[in-house]
Amino acid sequence: MQAATLIAPAKINLHLEILGLRGDGYHELRTLFYPVPLPCDLIEVMPSPDDDFYIRCAERPELETTSNLLYKAWKAFGEATGFRPGIFVALTKRIPMGGGLGGGSSDAAALLRWLNREAGDKGLPLQALIGLAANLGADVPFFLLDGPAWASGIGEELTPAEVDLSGATLVLACPDIHVDTAWAFRAWDEKYAAADSHESLTSDMGDTKNPSPVLPREMTNDFEPIVFEKHPSLRDIKRTLLDHGAEHAAMSGSGASLFGIFRDRGSATSAVQALEKQGIEIFQVDCP
């Protein structure tokens, strides 16, 4: 087994709708995942001196435990396939935690991909790997795909999507605020769970493998009223993005990261400068 460096990219939710609370205690969602190359985590995988799993994360030593999704992915893959090599993992954490960007899920998916390649004949077909990933977390299966996807259920039912952002500039603002996803769902339940499920602003996915591209007016996030009430500065960031010319701006996941989609690169640069003056970490991505 050779050492390898894996790249785990982030995601944003171009649309996120909470349809209601299910009987099993989970929430029914409809969301549009979109992969972004920045920020990204780096995962260095090296053979360990024995058959165990070791992890080091200099930036976030609290992640060096068996509750980390990297360990859970390694363990689950070994139990499913019998392929369980001893490895040492050095994690460079660049995706903000509690930012709604799927960092932990992306890390797990990157390691699952690598394990599946290394396993040879013991490797799993894609659908089986996705099923294993779903048991680790609702966002993990998405990162096993190679493009945008609609997700339904608790996020594990995936349908590849057409999303044309070609020529646009994506500005991703990552304030130093941690939003706990479990809290966000509880707060949503307290305010909305008793209400009837509302109609989606997006077209029905139906049975097609290529749903219609999402339109800017359809990009909404049902978590925003809840999270903005607790963290008003996030509403201000969204307003800054829109005031500087974003065609659309929204929060990703349960927050706290927000994104703006700009058709004019100069306007995007102006927004970046305004937000950086506020001490907010910014990532700027030119969409192919």
Side-chain angles (χ1 to χ4, degrees):
M1 186 184 72
Q2 299 294 317
T5 299
L6 315 178
I7 297 175
K11 61 82 180 169
I12 57 174
N13 301 79
L14 292 178
H15 177 84
L16 194 158
E17 187 176 359
I18 306 171
L19 300 180
L21 184 62
R22 305 182 347 168
D24 60 7
Y26 289 97
H27 290 79
E28 188 78 17
L29 303 176
R30 181 179 293 130
T31 188
L32 179 56
F33 288 126
Y34 186 80
V36 291
L38 295 174
C40 64
D41 291 346
L42 297 180
I43 305 165
E44 297 179 74
V45 184
M46 295 157 278
S48 77
D50 51 37
D51 295 330
D52 213 339
F53 176 97
Y54 302 89
I55 182 169
R56 177 66 54 84
C57 182
E59 300 89 354
R60 304 298 296 260
E62 68 271 22
L63 297 179
E64 299 171 358
T65 71
T66 54
S67 63
N68 191 301
L69 274 179
L70 283 166
Y71 171 79
K72 292 181 179 181
W74 172 81
K75 181 181 179 183
F77 189 85
E79 292 173 347
T81 65
F83 181 72
R84 191 170 173 168
I87 57 174
F88 176 86
V89 170
L91 172 63
T92 302
K93 197 69 184 163
R94 295 175 176 171
I95 301 176
M97 296 176 63
L101 302 178
S105 296
S106 185
D107 294 346
L111 186 61
L112 286 176
R113 280 179 180 262
W114 178 83
L115 287 167
N116 210 43
R117 289 194 301 267
E118 292 290 314
D121 293 342
K122 293 184 177 181
L124 299 173
L126 179 60
Q127 287 306 311
L129 193 65
I130 286 175
L132 186 154
N135 291 327
L136 297 172
D139 290 356
V140 182
F142 164 70
F143 288 104
L144 295 174
L145 304 182
D146 294 314
W150 283 102
S152 57
I154 61 172
E156 84 289 2
E157 300 171 16
L158 297 168
T159 304
E162 289 182 2
V163 177
D164 184 8
L165 296 182
S166 56
T169 299
L170 180 71
V171 174
L172 185 58
C174 301
D176 188 19
I177 295 174
H178 184 285
V179 176
D180 181 74
T181 300
W183 164 84
F185 274 117
R186 287 195 303 271
W188 187 91
D189 289 342
E190 291 172 4
K191 191 166 186 176
Y192 297 114
D196 292 336
S197 296
H198 49 279
E199 291 297 321
S200 171
L201 295 176
T202 61
S203 57
D204 185 6
M205 290 187 293
D207 295 325
T208 178
K209 295 298 182 182
N210 250 339
S212 299
V214 69
L215 300 175
R217 66 176 178 273
E218 297 169 340
M219 296 184 189
T220 62
N221 185 328
D222 282 354
F223 277 120
E224 284 189 5
I226 294 291
V227 177
F228 286 1
E229 183 176 351
K230 184 173 183 179
H231 301 286
S233 62
L234 300 183
R235 181 185 290 109
D236 296 339
I237 293 171
K238 179 177 179 177
R239 175 51 53 193
T240 297
L241 291 166
L242 291 170
D243 286 348
H244 283 79
E247 182 178 75
H248 176 74
M251 190 173 71
S252 181
S254 57
S257 297
L258 298 101
F259 64 89
I261 298 172
F262 293 80
R263 291 297 173 181
D264 177 72
R265 201 173 191 281
S267 297
T269 300
S270 175
V272 168
Q273 292 171 346
L275 291 169
E276 286 182 336
K277 287 180 181 177
Q278 301 175 36
I280 298 169
E281 185 176 22
I282 303 295
F283 297 91
Q284 183 172 325
V285 177
D286 292 324
C287 301

